[in-house]
């Protein structure tokens, strides 16, 4: 859409021609009714979306089941060994709960290309370790200076700053160690080492200066500025700070699952769209919902003078943008088997229609 | 013998004045075993000059590091990475040991170069985080402001966070796939990750932060092994992995690397003790450790440990000498250099070199 020409997904490789014959959806006309109504939809009441109303897919159950597998593996990945304190700090943050969206995306991407859940567990753990590590460092006094994380004292409040820095570093290292260790994969499925080398490259790229770190840096440098940042910069921050790790999750899941290059590239674009979507929806919720509904302070972005999509584009245009992103994300998974695509479809809806 | 006369012209341990290392042989205050251990070395037909080996290697490594970190958007993070990684005075010891181990088992140095640079990146990342106000709170590193003093604490944290993945990217993206099987790459990534992780260098820093640590001999040695030994061990093992070493050789490289890493640090401790204030925190490129062998165990015991480690490191090399002949010389020379410090490195980048340990560029 011309009005959102800024959304060019910087750095994405050219996509292959679309997959032939989308089997599960009829292309809907660009409907404004979708975004106009979406703030009133319930987060997990997925039947509200016409495109998935016919499937019998239990999304909530899927999320819980996958998160459970991941939690089990994460628990085993970090035994409390010598030196105890650092391992306890790592576990404290890593096992603190959370929806495990990134690992679930990773597993779902592995399964959509025909892979097995078991082979996606190590990469799924790796992305959650990276996510946790970024939160630990993000909460530090020199960064966001947050005392609370998910209602509990943040890592540095519980263990001290120095341990928090080290626990973050250790989780980052462990993510790679865990990803490349062939012993973590089921012996029944031989994963070619070259596949894991490729997954390593993808994960490293998405979290470094071309990904997560770049987003955090720009976010940090944009905080407290008098003037709002422009749309390009805002998009850069979100694409890097949020979308990059979602991209890594989906891409390494698909790579480990044996996905073809064109499948991997479609899923990459899917992940970038829902990553940006996540932030746009976040911004919209901040101005449209009460603190009680959100479970956190509403209008926080306004109060902190943070640049948001509604501020730059207006509420209406922000909703249009969200709608456009959602449709783009869904169109990327149209070519896949509809049963296997259901989780990713529902995940996209879940991100778009969540209420907090 | 050519070997010892070229490199170790003046066995001058312990030093009293680092600035006079090359020109003035120092009185030996404890028996140096340099001459005795020559008998252990394999026969040599040509001299090996560690200084020129090291110096020529440094320029390769720095060219590779320079190319690996171009300035791109957002500039600040790249500037910050370059500030610390391409810092003057770095000796690049982990990369050089990695390349030497690769060459030992018959690999070409170009195979090990990306991993060598990666080792430097992760080590630099650890140093940047180690200097943070919440850790060692060091304002100086190698004679100039530490990373956070220049770029701010927030960016320093991010710079470390960015260097770890860059290291892994660099190994994967630049190691010639036609010469190194993917299994070896995966093992290299695993080795590096384990080394900087919660049971490796991060554990060493963790111990160092604990007030109860550092008094007992075992504690001190553990801290040294974690903070210094593991990096050298990883360097040697990665080089061996890339060059195609077999499992037994890898284990020997592992023990050798660990011994040399700790050896260097213990010698450093003794030198520091004799040289109070000079070559200390502000000038050093190494990781500071609160655990001092000399303080904890006394100089006498420290020197015994030096000899034990030197012996151990050379013992591990014996098998290599039989098989690979002269190619074992660089690794041999590291052991003696760790003790004797027979020369100061001079190169375009080390012009303002502090007297830092090779395992802590």
């Amino acid at each position: 859409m011309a009005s959102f020409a800024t959304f060019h997904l910087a750095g994405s490789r050219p996509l292959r021609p679309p997959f032939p014959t989308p089997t599960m959806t009829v292309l809907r006309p660009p409907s404004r009714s979708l975004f106009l109504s979406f703030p009133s939809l319930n987060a997990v009441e997925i039947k509200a979306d016409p495109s998935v109303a016919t499937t019998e897919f239990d999304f909530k159950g899927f999320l819980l089941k996958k998160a459970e597998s991941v939690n089990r593996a994460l628990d085993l990945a970090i035994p409390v060994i010598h030196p105890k304190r650092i391992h306890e700090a790592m576990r404290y943050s890593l096992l603190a709960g959370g929806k495990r969206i990134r690992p679930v995306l990773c597993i779902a991407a592995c399964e959509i290309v025909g892979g097995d859940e078991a082979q996606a567990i190590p990469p799924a753990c790796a992305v959650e370790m990276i996510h946790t590590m970024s939160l630990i460092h993000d909460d530090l006094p020199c960064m966001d200076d947050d005392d609370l994380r998910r209602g509990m004292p943040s890592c540095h409040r519980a263990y001290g700053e120095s341990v928090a820095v080290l626990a973050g570093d250790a989780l980052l290292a462990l993510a790679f160690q865990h990803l490349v260790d062939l012993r973590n994969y089921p012996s029944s499925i031989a994963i070619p080492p070259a596949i894991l080398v490729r997954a390593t490259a993808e994960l490293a790229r998405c979290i470094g200066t071309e990904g997560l770190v770049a987003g955090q840096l720009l976010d940090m440098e944009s905080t407290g500025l008098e003037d709002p940042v422009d749309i390009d910069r805002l998009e850069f921050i979100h694409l890097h700070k949020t979308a990059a790790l979602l991209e890594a999750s989906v891409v390494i899941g698909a790579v480990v699952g044996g996905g073809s290059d064109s499948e991997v590239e479609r899923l990459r674009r899917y992940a970038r769209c829902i990553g940006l979507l996540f932030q746009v929806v976040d911004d919209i919720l901040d101005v449209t919902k009460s603190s009680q509904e959100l479970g956190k302070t509403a209008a926080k972005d306004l109060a902190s003078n943070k640049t948001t999509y509604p501020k730059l584009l207006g509420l209406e245009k922000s909703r249009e943008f969200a709608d456009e992103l959602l449709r783009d994300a869904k169109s990327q998974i149209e070519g896949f088997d509809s049963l296997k695509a259901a989780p990713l479809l529902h995940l996209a809806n879940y991100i778009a229609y969540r209420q907090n | 013998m050519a070997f010892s006369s070229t490199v170790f012209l003046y066995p001058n341990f312990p030093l009293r004045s680092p600035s006079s290392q090359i020109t003035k042989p120092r009185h030996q205050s404890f028996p140096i075993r340099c001459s005795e251990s020559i008998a252990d070395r394999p026969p040599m037909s040509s001299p090996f000059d560690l200084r020129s080996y090291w110096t020529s290697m440094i320029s390769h490594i720095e060219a590779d590091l320079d190319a690996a970190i171009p300035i791109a958007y957002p500039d600040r993070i790249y500037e910050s990475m370059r500030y610390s990684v391409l810092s003057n005075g770095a000796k690049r010891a982990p990369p050089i040991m990695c390349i030497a181990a690769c060459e030992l088992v018959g690999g070409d140095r170009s195979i090990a170069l990306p991993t060598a640079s990666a080792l430097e990146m992760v080590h630099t990342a650890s140093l940047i985080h180690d200097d943070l106000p919440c850790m060692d709170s060091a304002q100086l590193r190698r004679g100039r402001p530490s990373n956070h003093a220049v770029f701010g604490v927030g960016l320093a944290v991010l710079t470390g966070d960015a260097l770890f993945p860059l290291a892994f990217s660099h190994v994967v993206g630049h190691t010639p796939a036609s010469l190194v099987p993917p299994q070896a790459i995966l093992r290299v990534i695993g080795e590096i990750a384990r080394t900087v992780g919660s049971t490796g260098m991060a554990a060493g820093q963790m111990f160092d932060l604990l007030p109860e640590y550092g008094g007992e001999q075992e504690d001190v040695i553990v801290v040294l092994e974690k903070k210094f030994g593991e990096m050298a061990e990883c360097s040697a093992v990665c080089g061996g992995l890339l060059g195609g070493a077999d499992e037994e050789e890898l284990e020997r490289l592992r023990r050798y690397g660990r011994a040399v890493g700790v050896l260097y640090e213990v010698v450093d401790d003794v030198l520091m003790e004799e040289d109070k204030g000079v070559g200390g925190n502000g000038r050093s490129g190494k990781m500071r450790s609160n655990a001092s062998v000399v303080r904890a165990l006394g100089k006498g015991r420290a020197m015994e440990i030096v000899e034990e480690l030197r012996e151990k490191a050379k013992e591990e090399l014996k098998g290599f000498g039989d098989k690979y002949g002269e190619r074992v010389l660089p690794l041999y020379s590291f052991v003696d250099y760790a003790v004797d410090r027979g020369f100061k490195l001079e190169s375009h980048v080390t012009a303002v070199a502090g007297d830092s340990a090779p395992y802590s560029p």
Side-chain angles (χ1 to χ4, degrees):
Chain A
M1 188 188 261
S3 59
F4 302 115
T6 49
F7 176 55
H8 25 242
L9 295 170
S12 69
R13 274 171 259 166
L15 298 174
R16 309 275 165 111
F19 281 72
T21 351
T23 48
M24 67 178 201
T25 44
V26 181
L27 282 175
R28 280 178 291 115
S31 155
R32 292 285 166 259
S33 63
L34 183 64
F35 72 79
L36 285 174
S37 59
F38 87 71
S40 64
L41 295 173
N42 196 303
V44 282
E45 237 178 71
I46 43 92
K47 284 204 168 85
D49 180 0
S51 70
V52 289
T54 51
T55 63
E56 294 290 322
F57 180 70
D58 173 16
F59 178 61
K60 217 172 187 174
F62 177 86
L63 265 187
L64 288 173
K65 199 171 131 277
K66 298 299 181 191
E68 204 180 300
S69 309
V70 170
N71 286 336
R72 252 197 320 271
L74 287 173
D75 182 38
L76 291 173
I78 309 178
V80 181
I81 50 173
H82 195 58
K84 282 211 174 92
R85 201 167 162 75
I86 190 170
H87 291 101
E88 280 165 3
M90 290 162 78
R91 291 177 62 87
Y92 175 82
S93 294
L94 188 64
L95 305 177
K99 292 188 275 295
R100 310 299 191 201
I101 293 295
R102 289 156 193 82
V104 172
L105 274 169
C106 183
I107 296 170
C110 178
E111 291 180 333
I112 201 177
V113 298
D116 194 83
E117 176 190 306
Q119 68 198 102
I121 293 289
C125 290
V127 293
E128 190 64 16
M129 289 171 190
I130 299 284
H131 176 57
T132 303
M133 159 282 154
S134 76
L135 298 179
I136 293 175
H137 284 184
D138 212 33
D139 286 343
L140 288 171
C142 60
M143 309 271 280
D144 269 6
D145 197 9
D146 276 324
D147 289 342
L148 288 174
R149 168 70 61 185
R150 288 173 186 147
M152 280 162 57
S154 47
C155 189
H156 68 275
R157 297 297 295 168
Y159 290 88
E161 268 181 75
S162 49
V163 177
V165 170
L166 289 176
D169 291 355
L171 279 171
L172 196 158
L174 184 62
F176 285 92
Q177 198 185 337
H178 199 73
L179 177 67
V180 300
D181 192 340
L182 289 164
R183 289 169 301 184
N184 290 329
Y185 295 85
S187 51
S188 53
I189 309 165
I191 298 189
I195 289 281
L196 291 184
V197 169
R198 187 171 164 207
T200 304
E202 287 283 357
L203 181 63
R205 192 183 55 78
C206 289
I207 66 176
T209 48
E210 292 173 52
L212 189 57
V213 166
Q216 282 180 303
L217 172 65
L218 255 79
D219 192 28
M220 195 169 77
E221 289 184 346
S222 305
T223 307
L225 293 180
E226 272 300 299
D227 303 318
V229 302
D230 62 22
I231 186 89
D232 284 338
R233 194 178 170 96
L234 186 66
E235 192 170 285
F236 183 98
I237 291 171
H238 293 330
L239 273 179
H240 289 76
K241 196 175 170 170
T242 306
L245 192 53
L246 298 186
E247 177 185 334
S249 308
V250 165
V251 167
I252 66 177
V255 165
V256 169
S260 69
D261 284 356
S262 69
E263 287 173 327
V264 168
E265 293 316 311
R266 300 203 108 200
L267 291 169
R268 185 192 303 282
R269 180 155 183 113
Y270 162 87
R272 287 177 172 223
C273 288
I274 62 165
L276 203 45
L277 177 64
F278 183 91
Q279 288 300 338
V280 178
V281 170
D282 223 36
D283 286 356
I284 294 171
L285 289 172
D286 190 70
V287 292
T288 56
K289 290 285 168 181
S290 68
S291 298
Q292 201 185 358
E293 284 170 299
L294 283 179
K296 61 180 179 184
T297 322
K300 196 179 156 200
D301 297 337
L302 273 178
S304 65
N305 200 25
K306 205 177 144 196
T307 308
T308 64
Y309 278 97
K311 201 183 272 182
L312 285 180
L313 302 176
L315 194 55
E316 208 65 352
K317 278 260 194 291
S318 300
R319 285 175 173 164
E320 279 176 35
F321 187 32
D323 181 43
E324 193 193 335
L325 287 168
L326 179 61
R327 268 184 290 115
D328 193 348
K330 286 180 179 176
S331 74
Q332 301 306 321
I333 49 175
E334 271 166 11
F336 292 96
D337 175 89
S338 64
L339 266 182
K340 286 182 174 164
L344 290 182
L345 192 67
H346 284 73
L347 268 160
N349 284 329
Y350 171 74
I351 286 170
Y353 303 134
R354 69 207 163 88
Q355 298 299 296
N356 54 38
Chain B
M1 190 172 244
F3 177 61
S4 55
S5 63
T6 317
V7 183
F8 305 112
L9 203 48
Y10 308 111
N12 54 357
F13 177 80
L15 299 170
R16 297 225 169 69
S17 157
S19 58
S20 60
Q21 283 178 58
I22 293 174
T23 48
K24 283 189 231 158
R26 309 298 305 187
H27 171 70
Q28 295 170 244
S29 64
F30 79 105
I32 281 283
R33 302 184 49 129
C34 209
S35 52
E36 292 151 60
S37 56
I38 284 171
D40 300 338
R41 294 186 192 132
M44 285 161 284
S45 56
S46 61
F48 174 76
D49 181 354
L50 178 62
R51 187 189 340 204
S52 22
Y53 182 78
W54 201 311
T55 309
S56 75
M57 224 57 122
I58 280 183
S59 52
H60 285 296
I61 293 157
E62 296 198 335
D64 192 54
L65 286 169
D66 182 49
I69 316 174
I71 302 274
Y73 183 78
D75 299 12
R76 289 286 284 172
I77 186 84
Y78 291 94
E79 284 162 8
S80 171
M81 291 195 292
R82 291 180 64 86
Y83 178 83
S84 288
V85 173
L86 298 170
S87 154
N88 272 346
K91 286 192 172 179
R92 316 296 181 192
I96 287 167
M97 182 176 277
C98 173
I99 292 173
C102 179
E103 289 189 318
L104 165 70
V105 296
D108 190 84
R109 68 178 58 171
S110 66
I111 291 174
L113 188 60
T115 299
S117 296
L119 290 165
E120 193 67 18
M121 292 176 197
V122 295
H123 199 191
T124 304
S126 299
L127 295 179
I128 292 171
H129 285 182
D130 196 43
D131 285 343
L132 290 173
C134 63
M135 308 273 283
D136 251 12
S137 195
Q139 289 301 308
L140 288 174
R141 166 73 63 187
R142 292 194 196 102
R144 61 178 189 158
S146 49
N147 188 289
H148 66 87
V150 177
F151 294 91
V153 178
L155 188 50
V157 170
L158 288 180
T159 302
D161 293 353
L163 280 170
F164 288 117
L166 181 64
F168 297 128
S169 287
H170 197 64
V171 172
V172 172
H174 295 269
T175 305
S178 57
L179 301 173
V180 182
Q183 291 94 318
I185 304 274
L186 292 183
R187 285 184 68 181
V188 164
I189 300 286
E191 281 290 333
I192 296 175
R194 190 183 45 74
T195 298
V196 298
S198 61
T199 58
M201 287 169 75
Q205 285 174 277
M206 191 69 233
F207 290 138
D208 237 8
L209 294 166
L210 300 173
E212 65 269 28
Y213 246 81
E216 304 292 319
Q217 166 162 348
E218 287 139 49
D219 291 353
V220 178
I221 294 297
V222 166
V223 172
L224 296 182
E225 284 193 340
K226 294 293 174 192
K227 282 190 89 162
F228 307 97
E230 295 231 0
M231 194 67 205
E233 169 187 326
C234 175
S235 308
V237 170
C238 287
L241 272 169
L242 292 162
D246 63 34
E247 294 303 321
E248 195 213 319
E249 289 171 333
L250 289 174
E251 283 317 301
R252 265 190 278 146
L253 284 171
R254 194 177 287 289
R255 293 189 295 264
Y256 161 86
R258 179 173 288 233
V260 176
V262 176
L263 170 65
Y264 202 101
E265 184 52 27
V266 177
V267 172
D268 231 36
D269 242 22
V270 177
L271 293 177
M272 288 264 255
E273 207 61 29
E274 299 208 335
D275 228 6
K276 299 221 191 283
V278 187
N281 286 357
R283 298 180 54 204
S284 174
K286 76 192 179 85
M287 234 178 221
R288 282 162 289 266
S289 177
N290 299 322
S292 158
V293 179
V294 177
R295 236 180 302 137
L297 313 176
K299 191 175 161 189
R301 178 68 193 122
M303 286 180 172
E304 280 171 33
I305 292 173
V306 166
E307 281 315 307
E308 287 163 19
L309 288 170
R310 179 183 350 216
E311 206 62 26
K312 185 177 161 65
K314 291 196 169 177
E315 186 60 35
E316 299 297 345
L317 290 181
K318 269 187 184 157
F320 289 110
D322 297 341
K323 187 170 173 188
Y324 298 111
E326 286 182 12
R327 289 215 302 267
V328 79
L329 291 183
L331 295 189
Y332 257 109
S333 66
F334 288 150
V335 183
D336 287 320
Y337 174 79
V339 182
D340 304 330
R341 315 281 161 99
F343 60 86
K344 268 182 102 168
L345 278 168
E346 303 279 350
S347 84
H348 59 293
V349 287
T350 52
V352 284
D355 184 40
S356 58
Y359 295 103
S360 12

